[in-house]
Amino acid sequence: MTELCEKIMKAILSSFGDDLHHKYYESEFGNCHGYFRINNYTIPLKEDDHKEEDDSIEGLGMHTDMSCITIVDQDDIGGLQVRSRDGIGLMDIIPKDNALVVNVGDLLHAWTNGRLRSSQHRVVLKRRGFAGSRFSLAFFWCFDDGKVVFAPDVVVGGCEGARVFQSFTCGDYLRFRESNVRGKFEKVGYTVEDFARIEDRH
């Protein structure tokens, strides 16, 4: 999984400009590390399951990931939904055989100066026709805690030169997300946008 993340990151850097993966991969992403999480979602029993209303429940609330890249393998039950770019709709991510979901996390969102978006997503489970548990595997690939996250000028230049985020250390951001009651990983409203975005001074 680490090798896969490295290949994905080098492809992303190359898409920003010729030889950017040679210039920035080792210095910026060479010390990244990853960890697995096994997610198990079980729908609680309900006396009136036959009713059509309240047909689904939220297994994991709307949130953004605190990683650079997250790779997800969900089982055939599905349930993963991503908020559309306009912020209004939700898109179902349908499970496919031999396919993985790659999600941009908050750290890469900031490092790319917002050119890559850390999408809001959640897990929703349908009550009808569902038995047992829904499993998924998630691999989170992250900067080390001491890493200073700051978009290089060449990356910022692709956004007409407007810097969106101030510099911050990865560890400080993780502590911000984990220590704030309203900023826990399953909540939206306290993300890297709230933590490090430079306010419009006009």
Side-chain angles (χ1 to χ4, degrees), residues 180-193:
N180 192 309
V181 172
R182 292 174 294 180
K184 288 186 180 299
F185 76 94
E186 73 276 11
K187 301 293 183 185
V188 167
Y190 282 74
T191 68
V192 73
E193 290 279 339

Side-chain angles (χ1 to χ4, degrees), residues 69-139:
I69 295 171
T70 304
I71 299 179
V72 178
D73 183 15
Q74 56 176 339
D75 63 18
D76 58 0
I77 294 172
L80 180 61
Q81 293 183 332
V82 177
R83 190 177 297 283
S84 59
R85 181 176 290 275
D86 60 17
I88 299 173
L90 289 168
M91 298 178 292
D92 291 315
I93 306 301
I94 307 301
K96 294 184 178 180
D97 292 340
N98 302 315
L100 300 170
V101 176
V102 178
N103 192 35
V104 171
D106 283 358
L107 297 177
L108 189 56
H109 178 103
W111 192 90
T112 62
N113 204 44
R115 293 176 69 180
L116 295 181
R117 184 171 58 100
S118 177
S119 60
Q120 297 180 11
H121 55 284
R122 68 177 186 174
V123 174
V124 174
L125 301 174
K126 299 292 184 182
R127 290 182 181 276
R128 288 184 297 170
F130 182 87
S133 299
R134 183 257 193 196
F135 286 93
S136 69
L137 294 175
F139 183 78

Side-chain angles (χ1 to χ4, degrees), residues 26-175:
E26 198 58 42
S27 62
E28 296 292 310
F29 299 91
N31 290 328
C32 283
H33 63 278
Y35 63 93
F36 261 117
R37 178 178 291 156
I38 301 174
N39 301 307
N40 175 17
Y41 305 94
T42 302
I43 293 182
L45 294 176
K46 181 183 172 188
E47 293 181 1
D48 54 351
D49 268 346
H50 63 282
K51 293 184 178 180
E52 292 188 5
E53 60 265 26
D54 192 25
D55 188 43
S56 63
I57 64 168
E58 199 169 60
L60 181 61
M62 192 71 69
H63 66 285
T64 59
D65 290 340
M66 294 183 284
S67 58
C68 288
I69 295 171
T70 304
I71 299 179
V72 178
D73 183 15
Q74 56 176 339
D75 63 18
D76 58 0
I77 294 172
L80 180 61
Q81 293 183 332
V82 177
R83 190 177 297 283
S84 59
R85 181 176 290 275
D86 60 17
I88 299 173
L90 289 168
M91 298 178 292
D92 291 315
I93 306 301
I94 307 301
K96 294 184 178 180
D97 292 340
N98 302 315
L100 300 170
V101 176
V102 178
N103 192 35
V104 171
D106 283 358
L107 297 177
L108 189 56
H109 178 103
W111 192 90
T112 62
N113 204 44
R115 293 176 69 180
L116 295 181
R117 184 171 58 100
S118 177
S119 60
Q120 297 180 11
H121 55 284
R122 68 177 186 174
V123 174
V124 174
L125 301 174
K126 299 292 184 182
R127 290 182 181 276
R128 288 184 297 170
F130 182 87
S133 299
R134 183 257 193 196
F135 286 93
S136 69
L137 294 175
F139 183 78
F140 300 88
W141 194 63
C142 310
F143 289 128
D144 64 88
D145 284 359
K147 165 69 179 170
V148 176
V149 182
F150 193 63
D153 289 339
V154 65
V155 175
V156 173
C159 294
E160 300 178 354
R163 184 169 294 281
V164 177
F165 297 100
Q166 61 187 344
S167 64
F168 62 91
T169 64
C170 176
D172 285 344
Y173 177 57
L174 298 183
R175 283 186 287 274

